[in-house]
């Protein structure tokens, strides 16, 4: 399996980071961004037209990240491709040596730069995970047609938002994805570690932590503007709790970023102590240069 | 598709980020001939809906009725039109012909703007609002509450297989009684099982 899968299986604290593909046709620009993270993270997530804004495709960006010496996790959403295109792209990416995949529904086109686009959503994220696992393990497509050879080395992941209603169902929803074949789960921003710990406990009670590695999402609020944006409710699924808002609001505006980094470092340190947390997933795209300092502040040493 | 009266939803209300913009043709008008899925609040209480499930079970009487209706094209058309009328009004049915209502608390997942069949997306607002139509309630938040209120929350654990888009417009009741939809979902105990059910 992949290097990411090996590291998780070895039980080592794992750091992944989001790396958003550029809006342009240059792989060099991708390689540049990736370089700052080399040696500090175990894998990078290449987002799939995040927020429904058109970017370089995630497979191309994953290849650029790989060329820069990073382990890529290729994200695939259900928003833009039907089951034919999804299976085809998965085969193509696997043939090019991409081994880690992360599946999600994806933001709706209405929130992006092409709001008139046709939303596809032919499969949902659970069905897509199930399809990929079937391709790998049974060597066949959804149609039943055989694959020669199947994508034998692919390592599958899914996402969950422990903070979105219905809270009681969120562990079970992750459980459905695990039953479908997901072996790692990356979460939405964790600001409220209490709610997160409750979700994690529920996963454990369902016996799912043995089947799956959880990487907790951590973001850095870099400015007063970003705090306002994240608190506005305009970012699907993101909630900044009152205590964090208060703490960041209490410092002068030019120090929001520094305080935001301290909050993130404290959250990372706290998450690290939670049983069942395999690592953290840094939702810090565009913050690559400051990421090493953040990890140092959180007491996470350079990846070996 | 027929009239789609999604709880008095007006397209003009969905201006701004995350919403479809208003157009002169639709502002102030009820959404008709809708192609885009819009969350619908079920008009039948959970208790009544689960009772209806008993009436619609594929018992010998219903199976015979279904078989008889399927013998005559006109009867089939009329039956299907009747089903559409009833389910559109009660559940905002979009006639996918692969009805998931019995295991979703009778809140239709095809009204989800992403047509998710396996549970809510991660974009549900703190109060249970839909990501795309913030003034409407997420169909899965409603479905979970409705199912749980009648002791059916475990239904939502089932894995739902992909929809067959060729079947849109057909009668799901006839499909149900004829046993053509038996593989729509898995059992509800899969979280406790080791192996993955076949897709």
């Amino acid at each position: 399996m992949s290097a990411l899968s090996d590291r998780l299986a070895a039980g080592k604290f794992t750091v992944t980071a989001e790396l958003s593909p550029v809006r342009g046709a240059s792989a060099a620009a991708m390689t540049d961004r990736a370089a700052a993270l080399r040696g500090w993270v175990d894998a990078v997530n290449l987002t799939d037209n995040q927020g429904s804004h058109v970017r370089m495709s995630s497979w191309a960006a994953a290849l650029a990240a790989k060329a820069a010496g990073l382990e890529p996790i290729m994200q695939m959403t259900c928003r833009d491709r039907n089951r034919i295109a999804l299976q085809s792209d998965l085969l193509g990416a696997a043939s090019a040596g991409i081994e880690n995949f992360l599946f999600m529904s994806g933001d709706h086109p209405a929130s992006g730069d092409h709001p008139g686009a046709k939303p596809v959503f032919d499969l949902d994220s659970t069905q897509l995970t199930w399809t990929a696992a079937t391709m790998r393990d049974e060597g066949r497509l959804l149609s039943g047609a055989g694959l020669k050879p199947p994508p034998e080395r692919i390592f599958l992941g899914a996402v969950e938002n422990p903070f979105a209603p219905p809270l009681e169902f969120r562990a079970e929803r992750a459980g459905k994805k695990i039953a479908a074949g997901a072996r790692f789960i990356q979460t939405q921003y964790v600001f409220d570690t209490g709610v997160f710990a409750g979700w994690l406990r529920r996963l454990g009670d369902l016996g799912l932590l043995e089947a799956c590695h959880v990487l907790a999402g951590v973001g850095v609020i870099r400015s007063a503007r970003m705090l306002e944006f994240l608190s506005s409710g305009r970012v699907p699924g993101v909630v900044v709790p009152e205590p964090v808002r208060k703490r960041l609001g209490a410092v002068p505006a030019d120090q929001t970023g520094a305080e935001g980094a301290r909050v993130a470092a404290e959250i990372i340190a706290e998450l690290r102590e939670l049983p069942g947390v395999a690592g953290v997933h840094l939702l810090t795209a565009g913050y690559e240069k400051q990421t090493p300092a953040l990890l140092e502040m959180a007491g996470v040493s350079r990846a070996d | 598709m027929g009239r789609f009266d999604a709880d008095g939803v007006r397209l003009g209300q969905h201006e701004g980020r995350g919403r479809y913009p208003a157009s002169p043709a639709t502002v102030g008008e009820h959404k008709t001939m809708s192609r885009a899925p819009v969350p619908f609040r079920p008009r039948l209480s959970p208790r009544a809906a689960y009772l209806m499930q008993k009436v619609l079970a594929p018992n010998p009487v219903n199976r015979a009725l279904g078989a008889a209706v399927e013998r005559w094209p006109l009867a089939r058309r009329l039956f299907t039109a009747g089903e559409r009328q009833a389910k559109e009004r009660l559940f905002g049915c979009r006639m996918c012909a692969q009805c998931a209502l019995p295991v979703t608390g009778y809140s239709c997942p095809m009204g989800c703007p992403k047509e998710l069949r396996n549970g809510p997306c991660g974009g549900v607002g703190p109060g249970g609002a839909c990501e795309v139509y913030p003034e409407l309630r997420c169909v899965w938040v409603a479905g979970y509450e409705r199912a749980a209120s009648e002791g059916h929350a475990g239904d939502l654990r089932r894995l739902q297989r992909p929809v067959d888009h060729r079947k849109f417009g057909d009668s799901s009741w006839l499909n149900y009684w004829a046993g053509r939809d038996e593989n729509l979902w898995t059992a509800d105990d899969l979280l406790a099982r080791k192996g993955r059910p076949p897709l």
Side-chain angles (χ1 to χ4, degrees):
Chain A
M1 283 276 184
S2 71
L4 173 66
S5 140
D6 290 343
R7 184 172 178 94
L8 287 167
K12 292 183 185 158
F13 191 76
T14 300
V15 180
T16 59
E18 199 168 78
L19 187 61
S20 42
V22 294
R23 192 169 64 225
S26 164
M30 268 325 293
T31 316
D32 247 24
R33 287 190 184 187
L37 295 170
R38 193 168 43 220
W40 282 98
V41 300
D42 302 296
V44 286
N45 282 57
L46 292 308
T47 48
D48 179 6
N49 298 301
Q50 71 274 18
S52 305
H53 290 76
V54 173
R55 300 289 174 131
M56 178 192 290
S57 57
S58 61
W59 66 261
L63 290 182
K66 203 168 150 71
L70 287 159
E71 167 94 349
I73 301 171
M74 176 175 153
Q75 298 196 177
M76 289 180 96
T77 72
C78 299
R79 178 190 57 228
D80 308 316
R81 285 167 284 189
N82 68 8
R83 63 193 79 178
I84 298 173
L86 287 167
Q87 292 179 99
S88 162
D89 279 356
L90 198 117
L91 290 175
S95 81
I98 298 167
E99 296 177 337
N100 309 299
F101 293 85
L102 185 78
F103 303 122
M104 63 195 73
S105 316
D107 293 324
H108 193 277
S111 59
D113 58 357
H114 294 70
K118 182 173 189 191
V120 179
F121 301 110
D122 181 31
L123 300 181
D124 65 29
S125 50
T126 307
Q127 292 160 352
L128 175 56
T129 308
W130 199 357
T131 300
T134 301
M135 289 167 73
R136 180 192 60 202
D137 301 341
E138 295 169 33
R140 60 179 180 85
L141 297 172
L142 259 176
S143 65
L147 291 167
K148 289 178 191 139
E152 278 161 347
R153 291 177 58 85
I154 61 175
F155 182 56
L156 311 177
V159 299
E160 187 51 90
N161 183 354
F163 310 97
L167 294 187
E168 311 80 8
F169 184 61
R170 288 291 165 179
E172 276 156 290
R173 177 172 178 266
K176 289 178 76 163
K177 295 178 173 189
I178 294 166
R183 290 298 167 263
F184 67 100
I185 299 268
Q186 292 177 320
T187 76
Q188 185 55 278
Y189 287 94
V190 178
F191 286 113
D192 189 332
T193 48
V195 172
F196 178 78
W199 172 79
L200 204 61
R201 246 194 325 275
R202 178 94 180 106
L203 268 187
D205 292 345
L206 291 165
L208 295 167
L209 287 175
E210 292 127 59
C212 187
H213 307 284
V214 174
L215 297 162
V218 178
V220 179
I221 297 176
R222 279 172 266 167
S223 62
R225 229 180 103 223
M226 184 174 172
L227 173 65
E228 196 194 327
F229 181 61
L230 287 180
S231 308
S232 69
R234 283 186 295 155
V235 187
V238 177
V239 185
V240 182
E242 190 60 35
V244 175
R245 274 212 301 272
K246 271 200 179 134
R247 179 168 163 189
L248 293 179
V251 298
D254 62 331
Q255 283 164 43
T256 312
E259 190 65 15
R262 274 193 288 276
V263 169
E266 286 167 25
I267 290 172
I268 293 172
E270 200 177 327
L271 289 168
R272 213 177 166 176
E273 298 306 313
L274 278 181
V277 171
V280 288
H281 174 49
L282 304 175
L283 295 152
T284 49
Y287 191 72
E288 289 78 17
K289 295 215 157 58
Q290 293 98 317
T291 295
L294 170 68
L295 288 169
E296 269 186 335
M297 196 179 356
V300 178
S301 56
R302 238 179 122 86
D304 40 82
Chain B
M1 191 165 295
R3 186 178 158 75
F4 194 91
D5 182 6
D7 249 3
V9 171
R10 288 158 199 265
L11 202 64
Q13 292 171 354
H14 306 307
E15 300 165 279
R17 189 219 71 85
R19 279 145 268 192
Y20 286 119
S23 73
T26 52
V27 171
E29 308 236 331
H30 275 274
K31 214 169 156 157
T32 56
M33 300 298 288
S34 170
R35 275 175 19 99
V38 177
F40 187 93
R41 194 169 67 207
R43 296 219 169 90
L44 204 57
S45 74
R47 173 145 306 165
Y50 284 105
L51 268 173
M52 187 188 73
Q53 186 175 347
K54 293 205 172 85
V55 177
L56 288 172
N59 55 41
V61 175
N62 281 335
R63 278 208 301 271
L65 172 66
V69 165
E70 293 205 79
R71 244 174 266 136
W72 306 96
L74 179 63
R76 188 186 188 126
R77 267 212 310 282
L78 289 173
F79 183 89
T80 307
E83 177 181 336
R84 177 196 295 259
Q85 279 293 323
K87 284 168 69 177
E88 238 174 43
R89 276 157 210 269
L90 294 174
F91 305 112
C93 175
R94 297 178 58 239
M95 294 298 279
C96 71
Q98 295 140 87
C99 196
L101 287 172
V103 291
T104 59
Y106 285 87
S107 174
C108 180
M110 301 311 275
C112 162
K114 301 180 187 176
E115 299 183 330
L116 302 182
R117 300 274 288 195
N118 276 292
C121 74
V124 183
C130 171
E131 172 190 319
V132 183
Y133 299 103
E135 60 276 56
L136 298 178
R137 201 165 166 72
C138 163
V139 297
W140 282 103
V141 170
Y144 182 82
E145 277 172 8
R146 287 166 61 88
S149 75
E150 293 293 314
H152 282 274
D155 286 347
L156 274 70
R157 290 182 172 195
R158 297 165 191 269
L159 290 190
Q160 298 280 341
R161 294 193 172 81
V163 164
D164 183 340
H165 287 269
R166 292 169 297 186
K167 294 186 175 168
F168 264 76
D170 291 349
S171 158
S172 74
W173 288 343
L174 293 177
N175 286 342
Y176 180 40
W177 294 334
R180 286 188 293 262
D181 65 358
E182 276 167 5
N183 282 318
L184 287 182
W185 52 73
T186 66
D188 61 358
D189 64 344
L190 63 101
L191 300 192
R193 252 196 277 169
K194 286 284 173 232
R196 185 174 52 252
L199 182 56

